[in-house]
Amino acid sequence: MSIPVLLSANYLPPVSYFHAIAQNPGTVLIDQYEHFPKQTYRSRTHIATANGILDLMIPIQHGRKEHVAMKEVKISYDHDWQRLHWSSIQTAYRSSAYFEYYEDEFAPFYERKFDYLFDFNLEQLQLILQLLKLPRELQRTEAYTKNYEGLDFRTSIHPKKPSVYTNPKAYYQVFEERTGFQPNVSIIDLLFNQGPQSKMFL
């Protein structure tokens, strides 16, 4: 029997996130009750650009409570971050082999306003799994579990920690000649550059 994989709901997650899913065929549990931690992939992603790695961060509404469950974190629209993110993604990937192939799938996320970060990230995750042809059952957690006894990647997939994705397979990137290969950036980098072959690199 396959062990469920426990993950956080991340924004356009890094390649290592999908490596964890691809290598473990069980149900994918998404933690909706963890306290929202700052400076993680929950609200930011890395893309490869002509000038190196660019961080894209989703602004959130800051309430009085310090500890807010992930499912209750609201997105802020005080400035037009959607236009900025989509413009940055277009600039970085419009010359990639498969950007036009997937463009219409991702554009609505930068046009429609989601109230909650968790819902935004989860809907993107469902789309990406579909595009990667990784059929997985997604389930939301029913309570917070600090010490999960199965496969727990909530804290190990982190911008400031070494990738759990060891010995990554290099693939062609648009700006590789200028910046060198950039490992473990957002999964959209792999999708836009490799298209239907992306699954082979996981």
Side-chain angles (χ1 to χ4, degrees):
M1 183 177 176
S2 299
I3 301 172
V5 178
L6 181 60
L7 291 159
S8 298
N10 292 350
Y11 173 42
L12 295 178
V15 173
S16 58
Y17 187 97
F18 293 92
H19 178 75
I21 293 174
Q23 297 299 313
N24 298 287
T27 299
V28 177
L29 288 175
I30 305 297
D31 194 339
Q32 63 176 339
Y33 288 100
E34 64 173 351
H35 289 155
F36 173 75
K38 298 176 181 178
Q39 299 184 349
T40 66
Y41 288 124
R42 277 88 167 164
S43 58
R44 72 174 57 196
T45 189
H46 301 321
I47 62 172
T49 75
N51 297 314
I53 299 298
L54 175 66
D55 278 9
L56 299 177
M57 288 167 279
I58 298 177
I60 64 168
Q61 295 182 18
H62 296 281
R64 293 180 181 177
K65 294 183 295 182
E66 290 184 8
H67 300 296
V68 180
M70 183 65 186
K71 72 183 185 73
E72 296 173 355
V73 174
K74 287 191 171 184
I75 297 173
S76 171
Y77 293 95
D78 288 345
H79 70 269
D80 194 2
W81 65 268
Q82 288 176 297
R83 182 189 59 79
L84 176 63
H85 283 207
W86 187 237
S87 175
S88 298
I89 290 169
Q90 287 176 310
T91 300
Y93 296 111
R94 70 162 53 97
S95 61
S96 63
Y98 293 94
F99 178 73
E100 290 186 359
Y101 188 74
Y102 296 121
E103 181 178 11
D104 291 343
E105 303 280 3
F106 286 95
F109 289 97
Y110 302 94
E111 297 163 354
R112 171 185 164 198
K113 284 182 166 56
F114 288 73
D115 290 329
Y116 294 95
L117 179 63
F118 184 87
D119 296 335
F120 179 86
N121 289 350
L122 189 65
E123 199 163 312
Q124 276 195 334
L125 174 59
Q126 290 168 330
L127 169 65
I128 294 167
L129 289 174
Q130 176 187 333
L131 298 179
L132 288 171
K133 295 181 174 58
L134 277 176
R136 291 292 187 277
E137 180 186 0
L138 288 181
Q139 292 184 0
R140 302 175 183 222
T141 55
E142 296 181 356
Y144 177 69
T145 303
K146 183 176 181 180
N147 298 310
Y148 180 68
E149 295 184 358
L151 298 165
D152 184 355
F153 292 97
R154 290 174 298 178
T155 59
S156 57
I157 297 177
H158 191 285
K160 296 181 179 179
K161 292 183 179 180
S163 173
V164 297
Y165 184 41
T166 55
N167 301 317
K169 295 180 183 177
Y171 56 88
Y172 172 78
Q173 292 176 323
V174 176
F175 303 108
E176 186 175 348
E177 289 187 6
R178 185 182 305 186
T179 64
F181 179 71
Q182 303 281 5
N184 204 36
V185 289
S186 171
I187 191 65
I188 61 171
D189 185 85
L190 178 59
L191 269 173
F192 293 157
N193 283 302
Q194 295 298 321
Q197 289 78 44
S198 296
K199 188 177 180 180
M200 298 190 320
F201 292 87
L202 302 175

